[in-house]
Amino acid sequence: MHHPRGSRDAGERRVAAILNTPPARILIGLVAGLAIGVWLTGTAHGEVAVRVAQPVGKLWLDALTMTVVPLVFALLVTGVMEAAREASGGKVAARAIGWFAILLIASTLLAAVTTTLVLRGVPLPPGAAALGEARGAGPVPLGDAHWLDNIIPTNPIRAAADTAMVPLVIFALLFGLGASGIEAEPRAALERVFRGIGQTMLRIVTWVLWIAPVGVFALAVGVGSRMGGAAAGVLAHYVFVVIAACLFATLLCYAAAALFGRISPLTFARAALPSQVIAVSTQSSLASLPAMISAAAPLRVMPATAGIVLPLAVSLFRAASAAANVAVAIYLAQVHAVPLGVTTLVGGAIVAAAVSVAAVGLPAQVSFFAIIAPVCIAMGVPVVLLPVLLAIETLPDIFRTLGNVTADLAVARIVGRVDGAADRA
């Protein structure tokens, strides 16, 4: 059958455009690095390749890591100031933000429990032990016995220097709340300063991520050399665990809508389905916003309330993403054989909930490292493997967006239902 040359050219251009996207280039770097590492395993050339690749990968990872503390602090301060400003704008916005906080904490704590249980039921593949050999000097988490003693930083500057993320996040939250209540002129000036710091750090991260295929390739050579063909199985297992955390967070939102929104789960599911379809196909909560606003009628949410809550939710609220970030940290903890006590898990969950607010408007490649690294650091987990996982984030990101959109609709129903009567299917 004859195909016109124009159709072939258009297809080739589409393929070239896809391959030129950052996720595709990073994935190509991962696959190429793993393949070369596996191919050279056990050979003299393999040892040379690993010795050359390791410092390259470490330098690139260090360049990413140096931005974490100033970026997260700046984004948290401005995010809290924005949330406080929105909450002061009216009762509906204040109630919505309250529910955002409740569901964020609930979803991250649920992820800490369910991910631990999933990994007990479906343990790491045997090859994951070799992956853990990439462990560098990880930060020391707060010990169970002294957790409360260290949660408030006596010296915030030292906490930043030591990358002590739990006390640093607490200080950033308090700083943002305090700044939101000062006079308008110094408040605006302070917000401009932190927005400038955040944008500067994001610019540096963008530069570093421009060479991400090289950095991921270098790290993947070492992973492939250590693990051989088992690498694919471990990465598939990781994807399964993170998707499970997202699905548990989504089910939590169904339960919250039914219990506190007083709506039948079937009715809620029918109303949410069009928005969820768009979320899965676009991996964008913002692209799903028009469909979410259209769902106000079948959800029996007041249109004026939906017009306030849903745009606010898209801007500030990422329940499933926060839950998935906890799952990533716990998975890496198991890979690196880092023991996690109850208070360490709770601390990580709190940090994940808080820093999810800082993900507002960040590209997926930026937010993956900038938002998950603080959770890992808070739990004492090395971040050396995060760039490798970034390359396979596309599939889990579908379920992150699905859960985030479901959570947005659940809060809209809870805050804005038309009357006090329960809706039945």
Side-chain angles (χ1 to χ4, degrees):
M1 182 176 178
H2 177 69
H3 295 281
R5 180 175 178 80
S7 299
R8 290 199 303 271
D9 291 344
E12 290 171 359
R13 285 194 297 270
R14 283 195 295 271
V15 171
I18 292 171
L19 292 177
N20 198 39
T21 60
R25 288 189 284 112
I26 294 172
L27 182 60
I28 291 170
L30 172 67
V31 173
L34 289 175
I36 289 176
V38 172
W39 179 44
L40 296 177
T41 298
T43 66
H45 293 299
E47 294 177 4
V48 173
V50 170
R51 283 200 299 269
V52 171
Q54 276 185 338
V56 173
K58 185 179 183 302
L59 284 173
W60 180 77
L61 181 62
D62 289 345
L64 266 182
T65 305
M66 74 178 179
T67 64
V68 169
V69 169
L71 176 61
V72 170
F73 190 87
L75 292 179
L76 259 181
V77 169
T78 54
V80 169
M81 291 178 72
E82 181 180 352
R85 184 167 54 248
E86 294 288 351
S88 65
K91 183 179 178 181
V92 170
R95 286 188 63 205
I97 289 174
W99 276 104
F100 295 164
I102 290 170
L103 284 181
L104 271 174
I105 294 292
S107 64
T108 53
L109 290 175
L110 177 66
V113 174
T114 55
T115 303
T116 302
L117 294 176
V118 167
L119 285 171
R120 287 181 183 176
V122 188
L124 297 177
L131 188 61
E133 293 174 6
R135 178 176 184 169
V140 178
L142 296 176
D144 285 0
H146 303 288
W147 188 67
L148 286 177
D149 295 341
N150 298 314
I151 195 170
I152 302 296
T154 55
N155 186 338
I157 296 175
R158 181 175 179 177
D162 294 341
T163 59
M165 292 309 302
V166 174
L168 189 64
V169 165
I170 296 294
F171 179 69
L173 292 174
L174 293 174
F175 191 96
L177 286 172
S180 65
I182 64 177
E183 295 179 0
E185 186 176 345
R187 181 178 66 242
L190 196 59
E191 187 170 4
R192 282 197 297 271
V193 169
F194 280 103
R195 286 197 184 280
I197 292 172
Q199 290 176 13
T200 301
M201 291 300 104
L202 287 174
R203 187 170 180 82
I204 294 173
V205 171
T206 301
W207 293 342
V208 177
L209 287 178
W210 188 77
I211 57 171
V214 176
V216 171
F217 171 84
L219 293 171
V221 169
V223 171
S225 177
R226 285 189 300 273
M227 297 184 62
V234 174
L235 294 177
H237 183 258
Y238 160 81
V239 169
F240 163 75
V241 171
V242 176
I243 288 176
C246 294
L247 292 178
F248 279 120
T250 304
L251 291 176
L252 174 68
C253 297
Y254 276 91
L259 290 174
F260 302 106
R262 302 184 66 189
I263 186 172
S264 158
L266 184 58
T267 302
F268 180 78
R270 284 201 298 257
L273 183 60
S275 304
Q276 291 171 332
V277 170
I278 294 175
V280 168
S281 59
T282 64
Q283 299 178 44
S284 169
S285 297
L286 184 60
S288 308
L289 182 57
M292 285 194 279
I293 292 176
S294 298
L299 285 173
R300 296 195 65 193
V301 171
M302 292 180 287
T305 302
I308 296 172
V309 174
L310 289 171
L312 192 60
V314 169
S315 298
L316 297 175
F317 184 41
R318 289 164 174 77
S321 291
N325 295 344
V326 173
V328 174
I330 294 174
Y331 194 92
L332 289 177
Q334 292 245 348
V335 167
H336 292 295
V338 176
L340 298 177
V342 173
T343 52
T344 302
L345 287 171
V346 171
I350 292 172
V351 170
V355 299
S356 69
V357 178
V360 177
L362 298 185
Q365 288 74 37
V366 176
S367 65
F368 182 84
F369 189 87
I371 305 305
I372 298 179
V375 183
C376 292
I377 293 169
M379 298 168 68
V381 178
V383 299
V384 65
L385 294 175
L386 274 182
V388 176
L389 302 181
L390 166 64
I392 55 170
E393 175 59 17
T394 300
L395 186 56
D397 191 50
I398 294 173
F399 294 88
R400 287 173 182 261
T401 311
L402 172 67
N404 291 340
V405 166
T406 306
D408 295 347
L409 292 171
V411 173
R413 167 64 192 183
I414 293 169
V415 173
R417 56 194 176 95
V418 172
D419 52 46
D423 292 333
R424 302 185 184 280

